[in-house]
Amino acid sequence: MTDFGFSISKSATIDMDAVDMELYERVCRQVPSARICMSCGSCSASCVAAPYSGMSVRKVILALQRGKDVRTMLSNCMLCGKCSMACPRGVNTRNLILTVCRNL
Amino acid sequence: MKQNVVIIGGGIAGMEAANQLQLLGYNPIIVEQESALGGHVAQWHKLFPDMSVARDVVGRMSKSIASTNVFLDTRVVSVKSSRSHYTLSLSNGVDVTTRVVLIATGFGLFDARKKEEYGYGVYDRVITNGDLEQWMNGCADSRIPESPRSLGFVHCVGSRDLKAGNNQCSKVCCMTAVKQAIEMKELFPDSELYCFYMDLRLFGKKYEDFYINAQRDFGVHFVRGRVSEVGEDIDGRLCVKAEDTLLGKPLKIHLDLLVLMAGMVCHPQTSKVAEMLRLDVGNDGFFKSRDNLANIQESNQDGVFYAGACTGAKTIPETLAEARAVALRIHSYFNNL
Ligand SMILES: Cc1cc2nc3c(=O)[nH]c(=O)nc-3n(C[C@H](O)[C@H](O)[C@H](O)COP(=O)(O)OP(=O)(O)OC[C@H]3O[C@@H](n4cnc5c(N)ncnc54)[C@H](O)[C@@H]3O)c2cc1C
Ligand code: SF4
Ligand code: SF4
Ligand code: SF4
């Protein structure tokens, strides 16, 4: 095929009809508190890995709800558990991270 | 002889004020333009935060004022004011003279057709919060499918919207959306529910518990982002677009039913009543209180008072508290004459 030197960008739109929530639902069954995250960001703000790696429990939960890959983010977690302490909704964040890893 | 107090508006504000005024020894006279008492609450199904049955709440209030003079299907046509009295001519031919007029005309539900991009009145499966309450009360609504698989709730329709002419937050609709989402999940357990919000303003007692329950026990999905447009597919399903502002990405979804959280705006009669009694109206279209801190129930006219949602969006407990307070305020007004 002739290379014209340009391409079509992939749409960034999240198509909620096509999102696979299977992993999110499976994780929620094992860690029910994951459902009550209110996206406040306390977890990420207190996370020691966040400033260097972009790790964020808030973003992990959102990514699961939108069917996005979370592997890169999770690989930066040190499982220190600080985020659990900070979460005002009592989301069992450390357990959530471990559960996601086990289900991947 | 008992002193008259004319109450314009027989919603919960007018009814509760009438009840208290009667207990204080006055002769309240309610002028209600509709054919029944209860105002908006009479149209709702179950009320947050206790899920009380609205019909029972209104019924109990009606009973407490069973001996009150009530003119239904009646409007005030004109007002003559002398130094100490107002004479109101009513549409039923009756003239009433009174020293005190209580305005309890409430609010109007925002006309969702004005937000054309949401397709209310255009697409078959777009309804409002008010429509849903009435459907739950047993009114048939052909727009609501028999077994919807996916339902959306659009927050802030005609509220927090400069262009729609209503800058303010309507206060009750975040909570109404969460309540209605839970009720719909109970009716349709296999459906998925989505709330599209900018901020969740769940300020009242037990409101946050509803939010947590909606997430934990009913799996309601909360998407932060205002719905920007709604389209309709060839098979009648709705295609809803919003930005997922937490992710910073556009998002689209097909839904079987969309419920618009129409806001609380000023009652369409406000300017007419204001003109007759020479009352000030604020830039939000609601009656203007003397101030919004300590004198919400006072108007710019001697002997004219306010209660309830005629001065701005209010919940039921707020409305009732004002109605009780204004009865005492009127009592001290008479005592100081
Ligand atoms: C969708 C929705 C759901 C809600 N659910 C809840 C809930 O669950 N819990 C809660 O706490 N709050 C709820 N609210 C808020 C609640 O409806 C209001 O607090 C309440 O209706 C205010 O009562 P009101 O008497 O001031 O006004 P209204 O209910 O508006 O009553 C005003 C009355 O005055 C009459 N009137 C107006 N102008 C004239 C005139 N010129 N002459 C004669 N009569 C006139 C009207 O016909 C009406 O009967 C809800 C609001 C909305 C929009
Ligand atoms: S457990 Fe992981 S996500 Fe939580 S604070 Fe520690 S490094 Fe950050
Ligand atoms: S601190 Fe808790 S509630 Fe807040 S974003 Fe993190 S997990 Fe969610
Ligand atoms: S209560 Fe919620 S939905 Fe209603 S106007 Fe305020 S923020 Fe919007």
Side-chain angles (χ1 to χ4, degrees), chain B residues 7-16 30-52 54 61 71 73-76 103-110 128-133 170-173 175-177 179-180 207 260-265 267-270 272-273 276 287 307-320 322-323:
Chain B
I7 302 175
I8 307 179
I12 54 163
M15 292 165 85
E16 182 61 22
I30 296 179
V31 180
E32 167 58 53
Q33 64 177 20
E34 302 294 334
S35 53
L37 291 173
H40 281 96
V41 178
Q43 297 176 34
W44 309 151
H45 178 52
K46 285 193 180 166
L47 305 170
F48 59 78
D50 287 345
M51 299 306 271
S52 334
M61 292 182 73
F71 294 117
D73 296 309
T74 308
R75 281 189 187 181
V76 180
I103 310 284
T105 50
F107 67 99
L109 200 62
F110 175 77
T128 65
N129 42 3
D131 297 333
L132 192 61
E133 290 295 319
S170 292
K171 284 168 90 171
V172 298
C173 22
M175 186 52 215
T176 302
K179 183 203 75 159
Q180 292 186 339
Y207 293 10
L260 307 179
M261 292 300 129
M264 291 170 83
V265 295
H267 192 281
Q269 288 278 311
T270 305
K272 180 114 199 297
V273 175
M276 284 191 288
F287 286 104
C310 63
T311 54
K314 261 158 226 165
T315 64
I316 293 169
E318 287 167 340
T319 301
L320 294 179
E322 276 194 5

Side-chain angles (χ1 to χ4, degrees), chain B residues 71 105 116 143 156 177 290 311 323:
Chain B
F71 294 117
T105 50
E116 277 177 72
R143 294 168 297 184
C156 306
R290 192 169 287 174
T311 54

Side-chain angles (χ1 to χ4, degrees), chain B residues 102-250:
Chain B
L102 173 60
I103 310 284
T105 50
F107 67 99
L109 200 62
F110 175 77
D111 179 2
R113 281 172 306 191
K114 288 187 188 161
K115 295 293 293 175
E116 277 177 72
E117 60 269 42
Y118 295 156
Y120 183 69
V122 181
Y123 304 136
D124 285 341
R125 296 192 174 177
V126 182
I127 64 170
T128 65
N129 42 3
D131 297 333
L132 192 61
E133 290 295 319
Q134 286 177 18
W135 176 76
M136 287 184 181
N137 268 336
C139 300
D141 194 327
S142 59
R143 294 168 297 184
I144 300 173
E146 245 169 55
S147 47
R149 279 172 294 144
S150 52
L151 298 91
F153 295 84
V154 186
H155 291 228
C156 306
V157 176
S159 308
R160 306 175 70 194
D161 189 332
L162 264 82
K163 238 164 60 184
N166 182 23
N167 302 3
Q168 310 306 321
C169 164
S170 292
K171 284 168 90 171
V172 298
C173 22
C174 271
M175 186 52 215
T176 302
V178 174
K179 183 203 75 159
Q180 292 186 339
I182 290 175
E183 290 174 307
M184 288 307 260
K185 183 76 181 182
E186 281 173 335
L187 287 171
F188 306 107
D190 296 329
S191 62
E192 295 293 332
L193 295 105
Y194 302 85
C195 285
F196 297 91
Y197 69 97
M198 295 197 286
D199 307 284
L200 286 172
R201 298 188 166 178
L202 297 159
F203 59 94
K205 189 171 173 112
K206 283 169 75 176
Y207 293 10
E208 192 76 7
D209 295 343
F210 271 81
Y211 177 25
I212 296 172
N213 285 353
Q215 290 181 303
R216 188 186 51 209
D217 305 330
F218 297 92
V220 178
H221 308 286
F222 289 88
V223 180
R224 198 186 76 180
R226 192 178 181 117
V227 169
S228 66
E229 60 175 311
V230 181
E232 195 184 42
D233 268 9
I234 194 148
D235 53 0
R237 291 192 90 200
L238 300 164
C239 181
V240 173
K241 288 184 184 168
E243 191 199 354
D244 186 336
T245 59
L246 285 172
L247 217 53
K249 295 230 157 54

Side-chain angles (χ1 to χ4, degrees), chain A residues 11-17 21 24-25 32 35-39 58-59 62-63 65-66 68 89, chain B residues 192 194 197 208 211-212 215-217 219 221-224 244 246-247 249-254:
Chain A
S11 170
T13 301
I14 303 156
D15 183 356
M16 285 299 277
D17 303 330
M21 300 263 258
Y24 173 67
E25 288 299 334
R35 285 194 198 279
I36 58 172
C37 168
M38 57 174 173
S39 297
R58 173 183 76 76
K59 285 187 183 169
L62 188 61
Q65 292 170 341
R66 302 289 180 263
K68 294 199 172 290
R89 278 279 176 96
Chain B
E192 295 293 332
Y194 302 85
Y197 69 97
E208 192 76 7
Y211 177 25
I212 296 172
Q215 290 181 303
R216 188 186 51 209
D217 305 330
H221 308 286
F222 289 88
V223 180
R224 198 186 76 180
D244 186 336
L246 285 172
L247 217 53
K249 295 230 157 54
L251 175 148
K252 67 171 187 196
I253 185 167
H254 280 86

